[in-house]
Amino acid sequence: MIDYRSDTVTKPSQEMLKTMITADLGDDVYGDDPTVNAFEQKMATLSGFEAAMIVNSGTQSNLCALLAHCGRGEEYIVGQGYHTYLYEAGGAAVLGSVVPQPIKVQPSGELAFADIEAVIKEEDQHFAKSKLLSLENTHCGKVIPLDYFVKAREFADKHNLDIHLDGARIFNALTELKIELSDICNYVDSISICFSKGLGTPMGSVLCGSKTLIDKARRIRKMVGGGTRQAGITAKAMDYALDNNVPKLINDHQNAKLLADLLSDCNELTITEPQTNMVYINLDESINSELMAKLLLQEGIKVSVGQTLRLVTHLNIDKADIIYTADTIKDVLNLISEALQQ
Ligand SMILES: *Cc1c(COP(=O)(O)O)cnc(C)c1O
């Protein structure tokens, strides 16, 4: 099965599993796991922050960050399509009494500074307190350039806001921008990074920030049941992914481009040129997306159903799979249009 639903479907490789079982372990809630400690130190150094903390998932990482930055009655300004607003079950509001202030996301994936400025609240008893700007890179596979973060920092300083960056796929962005993690982290107050997406670990994310922020976040992680014991098993996988799978992300980007190119002559498809590992395809309204997904599944290709298809390339999809997929999609489209003509 070639699974394009997400890069979260990647499975740990044999080599990753082999290194995991060699991890030196201890109880991480006591701060005793040497593999976790070394990996957190490595991530702190790499990001240029004072501290880092491993977490079970990206959602837990963002929750810890939002609650560490904002208290009750304080608000974070966020894109309405960003993960920290839309896809985390309202966790910051439910568990932290933190108020989300969603705003429109630009086609580039950025937030317009004028839009942010328009919702920043002045000191007044009627209003929640504007505290944090929550950004995202990549957003829907789109890369936000370094220059935006330089401007965002200047803007945030002027308005007394912290910046959290949901960098679930930051290494995809860095691969395209050809810059280091610390280059972007210079301009934000915290970053969350997922390792269980394109980097292929079975679980795990990392939150990086100042020592004060991460100390606060550690208490919140414990509160939401995220303190794990012999966590070095997952830290070892993340460490492996950092060294071995980050350099492979470029393949996923090339595969996405190849898939888009191979399908570019299909009249029924409108394809957005991919910037990283996501190919967005709008299906002509004559194409029944449910039928198309069913026919593709019969040929061993799994996609999410929708009039906009999001095909995500990852570690477990190679160039031969891409060529097979393009051929199969063309066959299926022909089949559907022949059926329509009868
Ligand atoms: C997947 C994702 C997350 C959350 O990750 P989980 O590990 O699935 O909780 C956060 N932000 C973005 C942009 C993501 O794509």
Side-chain angles (χ1 to χ4, degrees):
M1 196 62 70
I2 312 173
D3 195 339
Y4 286 96
R5 289 172 303 166
S6 177
D7 44 11
T8 54
V9 302
T10 45
K11 292 183 185 158
S13 64
Q14 284 306 311
E15 303 88 272
M16 182 182 280
L17 291 168
K18 269 187 213 151
T19 60
M20 285 169 75
I21 60 173
T22 68
D24 247 347
L25 301 175
D27 187 328
D28 182 42
V29 176
Y30 285 109
D32 278 354
D33 191 301
T35 308
V36 171
N37 294 342
F39 180 64
E40 288 182 343
Q41 186 52 56
K42 186 170 171 176
M43 287 307 299
T45 305
L46 205 66
S47 62
F49 281 115
E50 287 173 346
M53 172 181 82
I54 64 161
V55 244
N56 293 319
S57 68
T59 300
Q60 192 171 68
S61 185
N62 283 328
L63 177 68
C64 291
L66 293 173
L67 268 56
H69 281 288
C70 304
R72 296 182 68 201
E74 295 182 332
E75 75 170 7
Y76 66 109
I77 299 166
V78 59
Q80 59 193 13
Y82 284 2
H83 208 281
T84 47
Y85 173 64
L86 191 56
Y87 296 108
E88 299 184 355
V94 175
L95 301 165
S97 301
V98 177
V99 185
Q101 168 62 71
I103 61 174
K104 183 177 163 228
V105 179
Q106 298 300 307
S108 63
E110 298 169 358
L111 304 180
F113 294 117
D115 292 348
I116 304 170
E117 192 151 19
V119 298
I120 294 176
K121 285 140 197 84
E122 56 185 86
E123 189 64 44
D124 180 310
Q125 62 177 330
H126 294 87
F127 300 141
K129 288 184 179 170
S130 304
K131 184 73 202 305
L132 178 73
L133 182 56
S134 185
L135 301 175
E136 189 170 303
N137 199 10
T138 60
H139 173 65
C140 293
K142 285 176 277 201
V143 178
I144 317 295
L146 183 61
D147 180 51
Y148 179 80
F149 291 92
V150 177
K151 289 185 186 136
R153 178 78 271 165
E154 204 174 305
F155 177 89
D157 286 345
K158 190 172 137 202
H159 295 281
N160 245 327
L161 298 173
D162 291 344
I163 303 178
H164 171 65
L165 175 58
D166 178 359
R169 295 187 180 84
I170 194 66
F171 284 109
N172 295 84
L174 298 174
T175 298
E176 290 304 310
L177 295 169
K178 300 185 175 66
I179 57 174
E180 303 295 322
L181 180 61
S182 58
D183 293 333
I184 277 197
C185 292
N186 253 332
Y187 298 98
V188 300
D189 298 294
S190 55
I191 186 169
S192 167
I193 305 169
C194 282
F195 283 76
S196 66
K197 298 200 163 161
L199 299 182
T201 71
M203 60 182 289
S205 282
V206 177
L207 179 67
C208 308
S210 69
K211 181 165 183 314
T212 312
L213 188 89
I214 296 300
D215 284 349
K216 252 173 132 176
R218 246 178 234 288
R219 170 177 285 270
I220 295 157
R221 183 185 71 175
K222 189 74 185 113
M223 186 174 68
V224 296
T228 45
R229 303 296 179 172
Q230 285 71 40
I233 267 266
T234 48
K236 192 78 177 175
M238 290 193 265
D239 192 36
Y240 175 91
L242 195 59
D243 294 341
N244 297 277
N245 293 347
V246 168
K248 290 184 186 160
L249 289 173
I250 186 75
N251 301 336
D252 301 342
H253 299 187
Q254 284 167 352
N255 282 336
K257 282 208 170 65
L258 178 62
L259 185 59
D261 285 348
L262 291 172
L263 293 172
S264 62
D265 56 352
C266 295
N267 292 329
E268 303 91 335
L269 309 180
T270 310
I271 302 174
T272 310
E273 177 68 16
Q275 297 180 16
T276 55
N277 67 330
M278 294 182 191
V279 188
Y280 282 86
I281 302 177
N282 279 317
L283 299 182
D284 187 86
E285 57 191 19
S286 66
I287 306 294
N288 178 327
S289 72
E290 216 164 307
L291 175 62
M292 181 164 166
K294 224 179 244 172
L295 293 171
L296 287 173
L297 192 61
Q298 285 173 8
E299 305 302 325
I301 296 169
K302 215 178 230 185
V303 300
S304 306
V305 177
Q307 219 52 30
T308 300
L309 282 182
R310 184 189 78 159
L311 303 183
V312 185
T313 57
H314 52 72
L315 272 174
N316 300 149
I317 296 179
D318 63 18
K319 193 173 167 186
D321 295 329
I322 296 287
I323 294 167
Y324 169 77
T325 301
D327 289 343
T328 308
I329 288 178
K330 286 177 182 182
D331 291 346
V332 163
L333 287 173
N334 282 337
L335 211 66
I336 294 176
S337 55
E338 273 164 28
L340 282 174
Q341 276 156 23
Q342 273 164 19

